[in-house]
Amino acid sequence: MSKGSPGPTPGFLVWRLANKWRVAVDRAVAPLGLTHAQYSLVASLYGMQRAGERPSQRRLADHTGLEALYVSKLARTLESAGLIERARDPRDPRAVQLALTEQGLDVTRHAIDVVHDLLRQLLEPLGGLDAPRTRAFSDELTTLLDAPLAPPVPNDERTKGTSP
């Protein structure tokens, strides 16, 4: 809580909602052999492939907001499970391109359906997937995601006397 706020801060609420969502997705996709992070990677890759892309690990990292090293680790695990293929980019030998295998496509389609059902449940209190409140909520989240964040500067007057 902040000093001037009687209730939880927006940051705390975002954190709680993100954790609630992650746990729910983890539980929902576990029977398919996926974690939430793996689901985020294969679902994003699925959308990019449908748009005609064969993205590099770096491009997928940028798209998902995950660290490139983490995407590489996830990709290796998913490759071992037979869900994705990793191949050197012919235009850049340092880059690795990713693509879903046939098995990966099947698992991903099923996982997307499962997570979509969860999303309907989550957004029901706002009126459902296509409700004006849901669109407004998505717009607000997009605004926050687009806002740059920088770590505090040591010895900045605004942070003096506070602990990290």
Side-chain angles (χ1 to χ4, degrees):
M1 292 214 267
S2 70
K3 294 176 187 172
S5 172
T9 65
F12 179 74
L13 293 172
V14 167
W15 177 74
R16 287 281 316 271
L17 182 58
N19 280 317
K20 176 181 178 175
W21 181 249
R22 183 193 50 77
V23 167
V25 173
D26 267 336
R27 288 180 181 151
V29 299
L32 300 171
L34 297 172
T35 65
H36 179 260
Q38 290 170 336
Y39 167 76
S40 297
L41 191 134
V42 296
S44 295
L45 185 54
Y46 178 80
M48 295 169 95
Q49 273 186 217
R50 284 182 50 134
E53 265 189 84
R54 184 172 176 141
S56 67
Q57 288 182 168
R58 163 57 63 195
R59 169 85 176 91
L60 194 55
D62 292 344
H63 178 80
T64 60
L66 297 171
E67 293 292 327
L69 195 56
Y70 190 44
V71 168
S72 176
K73 179 183 174 191
L74 290 171
R76 283 192 303 276
T77 300
L78 292 164
E79 181 182 39
S80 294
L83 301 180
I84 68 168
E85 297 170 335
R86 297 168 69 238
R88 290 279 170 212
D89 185 335
R91 296 164 300 187
D92 181 357
R94 297 168 296 156
V96 175
Q97 291 180 321
L98 303 175
L100 290 165
T101 62
E102 284 303 315
Q103 178 187 357
L105 285 167
D106 290 342
V107 169
T108 301
R109 285 184 191 114
H110 190 175
I112 287 170
D113 289 342
V114 167
V115 173
H116 196 72
D117 287 343
L118 266 181
L119 188 59
R120 273 196 285 276
Q121 290 176 44
L122 177 71
L123 297 173
E124 191 57 39
L126 298 180
L129 282 168
D130 298 319
R133 284 182 69 197
T134 299
R135 284 191 296 278
F137 179 61
S138 294
D139 290 345
E140 297 291 354
L141 290 172
T142 300
T143 297
L144 294 175
L145 285 169
D146 289 344
L149 286 178
V153 178
N155 299 321
D156 184 319
E157 287 299 317
R158 293 173 293 141
T159 60
K160 269 194 181 164
T162 62
S163 58

